[in-house]
Amino acid sequence: MEKNGQSQHVETNNNSKTDNSKGQPKEKITACLVSAAFFSALGSSYLYGYNLSVVNAPALYIQDFYNKTWIERYGEPIGEETVKLLWSITVSIFAIGGLIGTLAVSLLIKVIGRKGTLLLNNVFAVIAALLLALGEMAGSFEMLIIGRLLMGVDSGIALSVLPMYLGEISPKSIRGSIGQFNAILICLGVFTGQVLGLPELLGKESRWNFLFAFLALPALLQLCVLPFLPESPRYLLMERRDEAGAEKVCKLCVCTQHTAFTAFLGKKDVSKELDEVHAECRAQNSLQTASVLELLRTRAVRWQIITVIVTMACYQLCGLNAIWYYTNGILREAGFQEQLIPYITLSTGGIETLAAIISGLVIERIGRRPLLIFGFSAMAVCFSLLTVFLNFQDRVSWMPYLSFTCILAVIASFCSGPGGIPFVLTGELFEQSYRPAAFMIAGIVNWLSNFAVGLLFPFIQIRQLHLPCPACLVILPALPLYTRSVCSQ
């Protein structure tokens, strides 16, 4: 049965490309499907992306606030190493919260489902927004740290549940494109954080707390819209195992346009889709949702697990989060004028968003693996060139411009594939019973790697160890592992 399950993964992951190559008609993208994808991502991955960049513009103001608070409490200025440590904790504790959120996902989706978990998750975002916005007024940098922790919990839950939900509501032929809503909204969140961080808007010493108050807006929008959109049909039919309720849903889905499958697929006759889900449900009827340990012990999915771990680790260790967290500092070290830095930073978010949109448009034609190989290979080349340019920037006046060009190329390469595909793959490579455990493993790897980058990068930067990203140098030898995996697009 395990071998059959493994072969099913191959078929599932390659269906889009195969169907398109045979000239079969594509599934229609409905307003309900787009609305569900957009609004579920707006209060989830959008907030994650926003939190990657929002700490960048007010970094110096927040560190000054730490110093003032320290003087008020202890009567002496804070030490340089201490403020650097507190700032690193503020940035990196976001990843600790993400890890906590990831560990809680399995229980939450089992009790309240995919959509219910996304809705409940907004509570963390609203509380975090209040703590971060009011921390300066209360004279407590601890509130900022706790707020970042809670936003991490929100993002940890979101980045596990959202790709699962998007994969389960999407037709096979456009599953990759719909899954890229996750990456596109992350990029849009990063870009929004950069725009609002401009000095003319909220990037001033007197306004930086409003940057964090903005976090509540997408969460409240999602709370207003998502309750009116359907739950994942796959979850309703396969995990709740309510035969009477499932039969009722099947009848309603064929007769009306306002229930799960018909709303998402845009057609009244959804018997083919329902039969497919019921067939998978019968195949797994004797199986319970697998735990992480059970998944790790299952030999039939060994290469799928390796694929997810390698791609998710490189998603963080490739260095993009360091660029978002500390873009201003990198550009300052590269020799750009202080007043130009916010606008130069803005261009990086624009390039990222554009590359993510293009990736979403071509992913079904090109496939997952080619985009990953191209993205990581291009990043390795660009990081190597960036290392050379950074080491010569003090000797040649125009060298900082080449450094910045390399940064833009790295960002575009990342968003062309590695920025979103690891989340899509995690949903595609595993059957329903394995999926929650697979997302938990992916989330643990993701957030531990994120924490390492956020905590260690400032100290590496202080010592000016401008080295090319280890992950980008390791990924090329590791790609044969991915080639041997079940994903053969």
Side-chain angles (χ1 to χ4, degrees):
M1 183 172 180
E2 289 178 346
K3 291 182 179 179
N4 293 336
Q6 188 172 2
S7 64
Q8 181 181 350
H9 299 316
V10 182
E11 181 183 348
T12 300
N13 198 49
N14 288 300
N15 69 80
S16 320
K17 193 174 179 179
T18 303
D19 289 350
N20 291 339
S21 63
K22 291 181 180 179
Q24 295 181 3
K26 296 180 179 180
E27 297 283 357
K28 184 170 71 172
I29 300 179
T30 66
C32 181
L33 179 59
V34 173
S35 298
F38 177 78
F39 283 103
S40 59
L42 181 65
S44 305
S45 56
Y46 177 82
L47 286 179
Y48 168 72
Y50 184 80
N51 275 281
L52 291 181
S53 64
V54 72
V55 296
N56 189 40
L60 296 178
Y61 304 139
I62 295 175
Q63 292 178 55
D64 287 341
F65 163 65
Y66 286 178
N67 187 43
K68 292 176 183 177
T69 305
W70 194 276
I71 293 174
E72 290 175 0
R73 291 184 184 181
Y74 305 109
E76 60 182 13
I78 192 171
E80 183 178 348
E81 288 295 324
T82 304
V83 73
K84 183 66 68 175
L85 177 62
L86 282 176
W87 177 238
S88 295
I89 292 173
T90 305
V91 173
S92 58
I93 203 168
F94 177 70
I96 297 298
L99 182 60
I100 295 171
T102 298
L103 296 175
V105 162
S106 192
L107 176 63
L108 289 173
I109 61 174
K110 184 177 181 180
V111 176
I112 58 178
R114 277 61 162 158
K115 189 179 79 169
T117 301
L118 289 174
L119 288 170
L120 179 65
N121 197 32
N122 291 297
V123 174
F124 294 106
V126 173
I127 295 175
L130 291 173
L131 289 171
L132 289 164
L134 300 177
E136 183 187 27
M137 186 183 300
S140 171
F141 57 76
E142 292 86 354
M143 289 176 64
L144 270 66
I145 295 174
I146 295 173
R148 286 283 293 177
L149 177 68
L150 290 179
M151 273 314 307
V153 173
D154 174 272
S155 297
I157 294 173
L159 291 189
S160 294
V161 180
L162 177 65
M164 209 182 306
Y165 179 67
L166 294 179
E168 292 176 4
I169 68 175
S170 308
K172 281 185 178 181
S173 62
I174 56 173
R175 190 167 291 161
S177 297
I178 296 299
Q180 283 295 87
F181 268 83
N182 180 45
I184 293 170
L185 268 292
I186 288 176
C187 298
L188 193 58
V190 169
F191 186 63
T192 305
Q194 293 172 341
V195 171
L196 294 180
L198 290 174
E200 292 83 358
L201 297 177
L202 302 179
K204 290 185 177 181
E205 188 171 8
S206 59
R207 299 177 185 174
W208 64 263
N209 51 340
F210 292 104
L211 282 170
F212 296 109
F214 177 81
L215 290 167
L217 181 58
L220 293 175
L221 283 174
Q222 190 187 75
L223 280 172
C224 292
V225 177
L226 197 58
F228 300 100
L229 296 169
E231 172 63 276
S232 160
R234 224 165 179 74
Y235 164 76
L236 292 173
L237 293 175
M238 295 183 64
E239 292 194 24
R240 291 181 63 169
R241 297 185 182 274
D242 182 355
E243 291 297 327
E247 185 68 24
K248 182 179 179 182
V249 169
C250 291
K251 292 179 180 178
L252 288 172
C253 283
V254 174
C255 298
T256 74
Q257 293 186 348
H258 299 289
T259 48
F261 267 121
T262 50
F264 285 136
L265 300 182
K267 55 185 179 182
K268 291 184 178 181
D269 185 7
V270 292
S271 55
K272 180 181 177 182
E273 286 78 11
L274 289 172
D275 288 343
E276 176 190 328
V277 177
H278 279 301
E280 186 177 346
C281 189
R282 286 191 296 271
Q284 300 187 68
N285 195 41
S286 60
L287 297 177
Q288 299 294 325
T289 301
S291 66
V292 172
L293 289 178
E294 289 170 341
L295 178 61
L296 292 173
R297 292 170 183 165
T298 305
R299 296 182 61 86
V301 293
R302 187 67 48 82
W303 283 112
Q304 290 95 309
I305 295 172
I306 292 174
T307 297
V308 168
I309 289 175
V310 169
T311 55
M312 195 59 75
C314 291
Y315 170 80
Q316 293 291 351
L317 296 177
C318 68
L320 256 291
N321 279 355
I323 290 178
W324 298 138
Y325 287 151
Y326 307 107
T327 305
N328 287 9
I330 293 173
L331 295 176
R332 198 175 290 115
E333 289 293 324
F336 287 95
Q337 296 181 9
E338 188 69 31
Q339 62 269 27
L340 296 178
I341 287 178
Y343 305 97
I344 297 173
T345 301
L346 191 62
S347 66
T348 63
I351 289 292
E352 184 185 34
T353 305
L354 180 62
I357 292 173
I358 293 173
S359 176
L361 294 175
V362 303
I363 186 173
E364 300 299 349
R365 292 179 177 273
I366 297 178
R368 280 66 161 158
R369 192 177 68 176
L371 287 176
L372 276 176
I373 293 175
F374 167 77
F376 279 125
S377 300
M379 288 181 74
V381 172
C382 293
F383 267 124
S384 299
L385 292 175
L386 180 61
T387 302
V388 174
F389 296 152
L390 287 175
N391 279 286
F392 285 97
Q393 68 181 9
D394 295 331
R395 307 177 192 177
V396 184
S397 60
W398 45 264
M399 196 62 72
Y401 298 99
L402 292 181
S403 299
F404 177 64
T405 302
C406 282
I407 289 175
L408 291 181
V410 166
I411 291 170
S413 302
F414 176 78
C415 295
S416 66
I421 290 177
F423 298 98
V424 176
L425 282 180
T426 306
E428 287 184 334
L429 295 180
F430 296 91
E431 294 174 343
Q432 193 84 1
S433 59
Y434 292 137
R435 203 166 288 146
F439 272 100
M440 184 176 289
I441 292 174
I444 290 171
V445 173
N446 176 37
W447 290 105
L448 286 178
S449 302
N450 185 301
F451 176 76
V453 171
L455 184 65
L456 298 178
F457 184 80
F459 299 99
I460 296 175
Q461 192 181 23
I462 287 174
R463 289 161 179 78
Q464 296 183 349
L465 296 178
H466 300 303
L467 301 176
C469 168
C472 285
L473 299 180
V474 170
I475 186 63
L476 295 179
L479 280 174
L481 301 181
Y482 187 74
T483 305
R484 293 178 59 185
S485 77
V486 297
C487 179
S488 57
Q489 279 195 331

